[in-house]
């Protein structure tokens, strides 16, 4: 009996002695630190830190999240996400699946029969089934495409804040912070067939987990983005092409500018990050300034990132290609007028993926890289790329025309590799 009393008293004393910092820190009014990448340039990035108490929300379902977003208004606001929110739900919170969105007589079998390349040819789909697909897609977009306005912070509470099926769209907005969120499975029920894409045709999907279009001063931090639950590799093949259901994890396009992406995890996906959406989008010149640091790219096939036009600083990131990855294409995409400055990044690949596979160029001219580790050994990615270039593209030079000045401490690739493995992703903010 005395032993039990001592044990209980000891437990109570232990509770009394728990330090205050053991409780979860409130990160909702955090702002981006000075010099932390391009998003710190000029006015910096403060998100909704100036929100009054009436515009601080804790949301637990889609309806609450939509109300808090206020149709993308510019009013300073802080939105705290608690638990799992599935946006494929109706106004009563009941789950919606693809059949619930289908309208106008849309039927996948009829769609495939109508636009089979053998009979339809190379023309863009049109007619009753394409009209029905577009109407069905519009119904889904009403539920899953969520507009994020200026002066907004969206943070996850604790370590298990999940947005499932959502596409967070920051369009023509300024000063946005997205932190500590697990973004899963932005699943498109109604992909469109594009006969001329890539010469063989391909399926085109609609939703990025995060889409920045004309957005400025955006900080994405400790976010996890993946296809969790519905990998594209498990989808069937139609017209000899994988029936893709996901677009990008993070697309930064349409003149977006001054973006910092830090301590995040991008996983289990094909096309991860696109910076600049077209070779002819010359209005992007002088924009698309992006910093990517201390992020993990794991089981990502390509675009980690692919860059057009922008000045992109890529440092202290970790790349992991799994042993069973047989569809890996590349990590660093150097495209039209891109200026990619890569420092102290670490790559882990199986034996069939070589250092020469890590960089791919389309009309690119330059790549600055230093301090790269490949399976634990230092390599010069620029020299390797040029040595193994098939001749289809010009050799790249090391002069990208700029030197980054806005950055946190840059560690060696080996040190950063260990820190990122432990610290990147949702639920891992110190």
């Amino acid at each position: 009996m005395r032993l039990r009393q001592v044990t209980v008293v000891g437990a109570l004393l232990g509770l009394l002695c728990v330090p205050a910092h053991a409780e979860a820190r409130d990160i909702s009014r955090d702002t981006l630190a000075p010099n932390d990448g391009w998003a710190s340039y000029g006015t910096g990035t403060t998100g909704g830190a100036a929100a009054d108490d009436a515009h601080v929300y804790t949301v637990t379902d889609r309806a609450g999240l939509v109300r808090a977003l206020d149709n993308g208004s510019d009013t300073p606001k802080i939105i705290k996400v608690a638990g799992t929110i599935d946006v494929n739900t109706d106004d009563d919170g009941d789950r919606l699946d693809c059949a619930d969105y289908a309208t106008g007589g849309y039927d996948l079998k009829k769609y495939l029969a109508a636009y089979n390349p053998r009979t339809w040819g190379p023309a863009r789909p049109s007619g009753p089934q394409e009209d029905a697909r577009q109407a069905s897609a519009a119904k889904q977009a009403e539920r899953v495409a969520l507009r994020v306005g200026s002066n907004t912070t969206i943070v996850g509470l604790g370590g298990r804040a999940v947005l499932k099926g959502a596409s967070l769209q920051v369009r023509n907005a300024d000063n946005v912070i997205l932190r500590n969120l697990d973004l899963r499975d932005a699943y498109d029920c109604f992909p469109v067939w594009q006969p001329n894409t890539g010469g063989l045709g391909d399926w085109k999907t609609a939703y990025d987990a995060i889409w920045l279009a004309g957005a400025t001063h955006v900080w994405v931090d400790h976010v996890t983005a993946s296809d969790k639950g519905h990998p594209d590799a498990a989808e069937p093949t139609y017209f000899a092409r994988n029936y893709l259901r996901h677009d990008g994890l993070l697309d930064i396009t349409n003149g977006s500018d001054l973006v910092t992406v830090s301590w995040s995890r991008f996983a289990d996906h094909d096309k991860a990050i696109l910076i600049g959406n077209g070779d002819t989008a010359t209005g992007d010149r002088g924009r698309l300034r992006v910093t990517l640091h201390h992020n993990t790219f794991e089981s990502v096939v390509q675009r980690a990132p692919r860059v057009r036009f922008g000045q992109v600083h890529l440092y202290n990131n970790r790349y992991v290609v799994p042993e069973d990855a047989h569809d890996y294409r590349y990590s660093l995409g150097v495209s039209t007028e891109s200026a990619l400055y890569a420092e102290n990044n670490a790559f882990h690949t199986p034996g069939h993926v070589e250092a020469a596979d890590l960089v791919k160029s389309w009309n690119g001219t330059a790549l600055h890289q230093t301090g790269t580790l490949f399976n634990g050994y230092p390599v010069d990615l620029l020299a390797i790329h040029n040595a193994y270039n098939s001749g289809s593209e010009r050799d790249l030079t090391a002069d990208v025309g700029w030197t980054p000045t806005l950055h946190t401490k840059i560690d060696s690739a080996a040190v950063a590799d260990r820190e990122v493995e432990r610290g990147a992703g949702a639920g891992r903010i110190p």
Side-chain angles (χ1 to χ4, degrees), residues 312-313 341 343 402-407:
V312 176
H313 191 196
Y341 199 105
E343 295 183 273
W402 74 293
T403 301
T405 58
L406 297 171
H407 55 77

Side-chain angles (χ1 to χ4, degrees), residues 168-351:
L168 297 179
Q169 301 188 354
V170 186
R171 291 184 283 138
N172 301 317
D174 177 70
N175 193 31
V176 172
I177 295 174
L178 306 174
R179 299 186 77 199
N180 200 39
L181 298 167
D182 187 343
L183 305 176
R184 299 180 184 175
D185 193 24
Y187 187 86
D188 186 352
C189 288
F190 307 102
V192 61
W193 174 246
Q194 295 186 324
N196 291 321
T197 301
L200 300 174
D202 209 350
W203 294 99
K204 173 66 176 176
T205 53
Y207 307 118
D208 304 311
I210 302 172
W211 179 33
L212 310 184
T216 53
H217 288 109
V218 179
W219 180 29
V220 178
D221 178 67
H222 281 92
V223 162
T224 295
S226 73
D227 295 348
K228 189 170 183 176
H230 284 106
D232 279 336
E235 296 291 336
T237 297
Y238 298 126
F239 308 152
R241 306 294 283 176
N242 185 219
Y243 190 53
L244 297 174
R245 298 290 195 154
H246 304 90
D247 197 2
L249 293 177
L250 169 60
D251 276 15
I252 304 170
T253 64
N254 299 83
S256 292
D257 198 19
L258 305 177
V259 178
T260 296
V261 183
S262 57
W263 294 99
S264 292
R265 181 173 181 265
F266 301 93
D268 306 319
H269 189 79
D270 184 355
K271 300 167 183 175
I273 299 180
L274 179 65
I275 302 174
N277 55 312
D279 291 345
T280 60
T282 54
D284 286 342
R285 287 174 180 151
R287 297 178 176 270
L288 300 174
R289 290 172 290 180
V290 179
T291 300
L292 299 165
H293 73 84
H294 294 93
N295 303 292
T296 287
F297 297 90
E298 186 173 349
S299 298
V300 166
V301 176
Q302 57 186 316
R303 296 187 182 176
R306 178 175 177 177
V307 183
R308 297 179 176 95
F309 295 105
Q311 293 180 340
V312 176
H313 191 196
L314 183 78
Y315 72 90
N316 281 173
N317 298 284
R318 169 182 166 86
Y319 295 78
V320 180
V321 181
E323 288 290 337
D324 60 353
H326 297 291
D327 55 352
Y328 173 81
R329 293 186 61 187
Y330 68 92
S331 292
L332 309 185
V334 182
S335 298
T336 302
E337 297 186 33
S338 63
L340 181 58
Y341 199 105
E343 295 183 273
N344 299 14
N345 300 291
F347 295 82
H348 303 267
T349 76

Side-chain angles (χ1 to χ4, degrees), residues 30-115:
D30 285 1
T31 61
L32 181 64
N35 298 313
D36 192 349
W38 274 118
S40 67
Y41 183 78
T43 58
T45 302
T46 60
D52 58 29
D53 290 344
H55 292 92
V56 178
Y57 310 90
T58 298
V59 298
T60 59
D61 56 18
R62 180 191 176 278
L65 177 59
V66 169
R67 284 193 299 271
L69 286 169
D70 190 26
N71 197 32
S73 77
D74 293 345
T75 303
K77 65 186 75 66
I78 294 171
I79 303 172
K80 304 177 184 182
V81 176
T84 297
I85 296 178
D86 189 340
V87 300
N88 283 291
T89 51
D90 63 18
D91 290 340
D92 295 323
D94 295 326
R95 179 84 170 95
L96 299 173
D97 60 23
C98 293
D100 295 310
Y101 296 123
T103 190
Y106 175 81
D107 180 86
L108 177 58
K109 290 183 179 179
K110 292 180 180 179
Y111 188 90
L112 295 173
Y115 307 116

